Amino acid sequence: MTSSGRPSSPFVASLALALPFCLSQISRLDAADETAADRTSLAILAPGGPVVASLKISVDGQPYRLWVTTFLTRRIDLDNNGELSAEELALIPERLMAATGMGTATELLHKAAGSSDATTISQHDFSEWFAERLSRSFNIIAGAVKPAEAVRMAALIDQNSDGRINRSELMSARQWMRFRDLDDDQTFTAAELLPFRDPRNQLSSVVPDAADLPFVQLTDDQAIRRTVEQIRKRYGSGKTIDAAVLRLPDGADPSLTGEITADQLSSFLTNPVPHLTMDVLLSDRANASDLKITVADSATDFCSVTTPRRGRSLLKIDDMPIEIRPRGGSQTSRGFMVNFLLQRMVAYDEDKNGYLSAEEFPQLQQDLTGQLQVQGSFQDVDLNSDGMLLRDEVKAFIERDAIATQAHIDVSVRQDGQTLFKLLDINSDRRLSERELREGFDVLLKYDVSGDEQLSEAELGTEYALQIGLGQAPSLRLDSMAMMSMQARSTDAVLPGLSGLSGPEWFRRMDRNQDHDVSRREFLAPQNIFDQLDTNHDNLLSAEEASAL
């Protein structure tokens, strides 16, 4: 009966009976969702304030760490009996063994099995135990780009680290960057402004410093301390920061109001309530990965997401565009590496007997070091110790080591769009002259959307592209931007030559760095004449001022 006294319908009655079951199923799905992916956090230093993203990363429906350990245990189970002995556990690559803290395979077996009498452990049990020991940390890798696009001018000029460029910072840039003028020609090429790069090698694509990128992982105490310092410098003043800058999402600690300290900020970042969630659904197969981004209701004012197609999401934070896509297809990467090294193996088999002897192995060993960065000895690869390396043994060794490389996450970041260096380089000669630095701020003002004469990278049109996937060997880290860079190799500086300069002949000859101006240092006549010619008193003679003589 209903509250009105009328009999309830059969549908309502059946719904009432089914409701508890439906709720229990939803609860089970939620619980399954929590265990189907490994979680980690990423801080994005956006123009208006830091944004915390929760990354949920899985591979073919499993948490990525469990997927890695399951893949590995299948490769080391040599007799395929579903049980792992100490001898089989000894095949785990040293890089992964270090994560357990165990010195020997026997110690590892006893620890994982929970018994000092254990002689074997099941694949399933060991995979789950081992997955919990692997780190959730990830690598932020800057993608290779052309030299003029790799220069992080904003990071070089932003003296107060607030993420914005003002007129005084740009005006004084030449003074405090003078030590980077390696050839002492009073101009700055891209090669000179890139740290640790030989300016004589100007033909190759380069990798910017990942520390200058506005993406920081929140995976351990050290990373959190570094992030707190960056946030304090960029958005705060002194030793505190206004809680309003954090734009705290619903569910955050309500005590975080007003001016908060570094310790309070560190506590928040240790267990953050995310502004957005990224479900990174990787697949071992190529072209089968997907990505789903959910923005918290409290963050919709400054975060938005569009999905132009499967596996591509465009995230916009404070008008800073970030394209994000998953990188799956690990099977293809492993297959490429295996096939490449097996072909090399054939070339090194000098007597063509179908296997490599200890004398023939060193050349393949060099390839293993160069391609996989692994020091594999002949005994490591020769599983049955018969003195002959067969193709199956080499393949098994490569696959075991490849999965060790894939046991972490790579977040590759590529900077696209306009860069500050390119905007300041008015004449596109791939270097910055003194006049371009002096007058550059007036050129940039058209991008000052807020009208506060404080220019952020988002206002200047800088874009970012993130690619998230399992770790790759450095030899395979080659994205489309790197390919483009190598196809468009060219020197950083383009000098016009005397014929490309204007003004009187004496002016053109004095302009030794060919930047279309003559500085006091370049001027060879008495300085009182320079002062007479320098009618605008900017300490530079232009072609027009020289022609007036």
Side-chain angles (χ1 to χ4, degrees):
M1 298 288 291
T2 64
S3 58
S4 61
R6 290 174 297 185
S8 59
S9 68
F11 172 76
V12 173
S14 61
L15 181 60
L17 291 173
L19 187 58
F21 173 77
C22 292
L23 291 176
S24 67
Q25 290 296 99
I26 292 174
S27 178
R28 288 176 58 189
L29 287 174
D30 289 341
D33 179 66
E34 290 299 313
T35 59
D38 279 318
R39 287 179 176 268
T40 187
S41 296
L42 172 73
I44 303 173
L45 305 183
V51 169
V52 177
S54 174
L55 274 60
K56 298 166 58 179
I57 306 174
S58 62
V59 180
D60 292 334
Q62 286 185 304
Y64 83 87
R65 295 182 302 164
L66 180 59
W67 182 89
V68 165
T69 56
T70 300
F71 180 98
L72 178 62
T73 53
R74 289 173 180 167
R75 296 306 188 276
I76 63 175
D77 185 13
L78 300 181
D79 53 13
N80 295 315
N81 66 349
E83 296 286 323
L84 300 176
S85 64
E87 291 75 16
E88 290 170 325
L89 291 176
L91 298 176
I92 295 176
E94 186 175 343
R95 287 178 289 170
L96 292 183
M97 181 73 82
T100 67
M102 300 293 107
T104 66
T106 301
E107 292 177 356
L108 177 62
L109 172 61
H110 293 165
K111 185 69 173 179
S115 170
S116 59
D117 298 325
T119 57
T120 62
I121 184 173
S122 71
Q123 275 191 34
H124 176 270
D125 290 346
F126 182 77
S127 295
E128 292 195 336
W129 179 88
F130 195 19
E132 289 299 316
R133 272 71 191 169
L134 296 182
S135 172
R136 285 190 177 91
S137 64
F138 53 91
N139 297 330
I140 295 181
I141 302 167
V145 295
K146 287 182 276 190
E149 296 171 351
V151 177
R152 298 280 296 164
M153 281 294 297
L156 292 173
I157 294 176
D158 185 14
Q159 297 180 60
N160 58 9
S161 302
D162 66 349
R164 298 182 296 273
I165 303 300
N166 58 44
R167 185 182 294 273
S168 63
E169 286 175 328
L170 188 55
M171 289 289 288
S172 61
R174 184 186 176 281
Q175 176 63 22
W176 57 264
M177 287 198 313
R178 63 187 184 281
F179 68 93
R180 294 178 179 269
D181 184 11
L182 301 181
D183 57 7
D184 196 29
D185 70 342
Q186 298 182 287
T187 68
F188 301 95
T189 65
E192 290 174 322
L193 295 177
L194 287 171
F196 314 119
R197 183 171 185 239
D198 186 346
R200 295 167 296 180
N201 181 21
Q202 300 183 18
L203 297 178
S204 60
S205 58
V206 295
V207 178
D209 187 355
D212 291 334
L213 298 170
F215 304 94
V216 190
Q217 58 175 311
L218 302 174
T219 52
D220 53 42
D221 291 341
Q222 183 179 359
I224 289 173
R225 285 195 299 270
R226 187 168 57 249
T227 305
V228 168
E229 183 64 18
Q230 288 181 267
I231 291 176
R232 187 187 65 78
K233 286 184 177 180
R234 185 176 290 246
Y235 309 105
S237 60
K239 295 183 179 180
T240 62
I241 183 173
D242 188 349
V245 174
L246 301 179
R247 301 180 287 198
L248 296 172
D250 296 336
D253 186 352
S255 67
L256 295 176
T257 58
E259 294 293 319
I260 63 174
T261 65
D263 289 340
Q264 289 176 301
L265 179 57
S266 177
S267 177
F268 167 71
L269 295 177
T270 300
N271 295 291
V273 178
H275 296 92
L276 51 93
T277 301
M278 299 183 192
D279 284 301
V280 185
L281 309 171
L282 302 176
S283 174
D284 197 34
R285 296 174 291 111
N287 303 318
S289 300
D290 202 0
L291 174 71
K292 297 178 181 178
I293 300 180
T294 304
V295 178
D297 292 340
S298 54
T300 53
D301 288 344
F302 51 90
C303 292
S304 64
V305 178
T306 56
T307 306
R309 62 183 186 276
R310 175 186 169 88
R312 296 287 189 280
S313 291
L314 181 61
L315 172 65
K316 188 168 286 190
I317 306 176
D318 299 324
D319 294 324
M320 180 175 77
I322 308 171
E323 184 190 63
I324 306 175
R325 65 186 180 94
R327 176 182 47 75
S330 301
Q331 183 181 65
T332 302
S333 299
R334 293 193 306 274
F336 174 84
M337 189 61 67
V338 167
N339 292 333
F340 171 78
L341 291 174
L342 288 181
Q343 289 176 3
R344 304 297 290 172
M345 175 183 172
V346 172
Y348 301 145
D349 183 13
E350 296 179 358
D351 53 13
K352 306 303 177 187
N353 58 3
Y355 64 86
L356 294 185
S357 63
E359 292 74 21
E360 296 168 325
F361 178 68
Q363 295 183 83
L364 182 64
Q365 187 178 34
Q366 290 181 2
D367 284 337
L368 291 173
T369 303
Q371 299 297 324
L372 297 177
Q373 282 70 52
V374 59
Q375 301 291 337
S377 67
F378 185 85
Q379 291 73 23
D380 292 334
V381 186
D382 185 17
L383 290 179
N384 57 9
S385 302
D386 62 356
M388 300 184 297
L389 292 189
L390 301 175
R391 288 174 60 87
D392 287 346
E393 290 176 312
V394 174
K395 177 182 178 182
F397 178 83
I398 296 171
E399 286 189 333
R400 289 198 305 273
D401 192 80
I403 203 62
T405 301
Q406 295 174 339
H408 65 269
I409 296 298
D410 280 349
V411 178
S412 301
V413 183
R414 193 179 70 236
Q415 179 181 309
D416 284 339
Q418 300 181 111
T419 65
L420 186 56
F421 183 93
K422 292 170 68 176
L423 291 173
L424 293 173
D425 184 18
I426 303 300
N427 58 6
S428 301
D429 63 353
R430 293 195 283 274
R431 59 180 182 157
L432 299 181
S433 66
E434 184 172 350
R435 186 177 296 279
E436 286 173 327
L437 288 172
R438 285 185 183 184
E439 301 177 357
F441 200 80
D442 290 328
V443 175
L444 301 177
L445 279 178
K446 64 181 179 181
Y447 300 101
D448 185 16
V449 177
S450 60
D452 60 357
E453 296 203 359
Q454 300 276 340
L455 293 161
S456 67
E457 284 195 323
E459 288 178 308
L460 295 175
T462 301
E463 302 173 1
Y464 292 97
L466 267 61
Q467 191 182 75
I468 305 174
L470 295 181
Q472 283 186 307
S475 56
L476 294 178
R477 284 183 196 148
L478 193 65
D479 58 19
S480 58
M481 178 57 72
M483 292 286 288
M484 186 186 306
S485 300
M486 290 190 293
Q487 292 169 2
R489 290 178 176 177
S490 60
T491 57
D492 287 295
V494 180
L495 301 182
L498 290 179
S499 60
L501 298 174
S502 56
E505 183 178 357
W506 66 264
F507 175 86
R508 289 183 280 122
R509 290 187 179 278
M510 283 189 187
D511 185 12
R512 291 192 296 276
N513 62 10
Q514 299 181 23
D515 65 347
H516 304 276
D517 287 306
V518 171
S519 66
R520 282 186 177 274
R521 197 175 75 178
E522 291 174 319
F523 192 68
L524 300 179
Q527 290 300 306
N528 64 319
I529 298 179
F530 182 96
D531 293 335
Q532 293 176 30
L533 294 174
D534 183 18
T535 55
N536 62 0
H537 307 296
D538 64 352
N539 290 314
L540 290 174
L541 292 185
S542 65
E544 291 76 15
E545 288 173 323
S547 298
L549 181 63

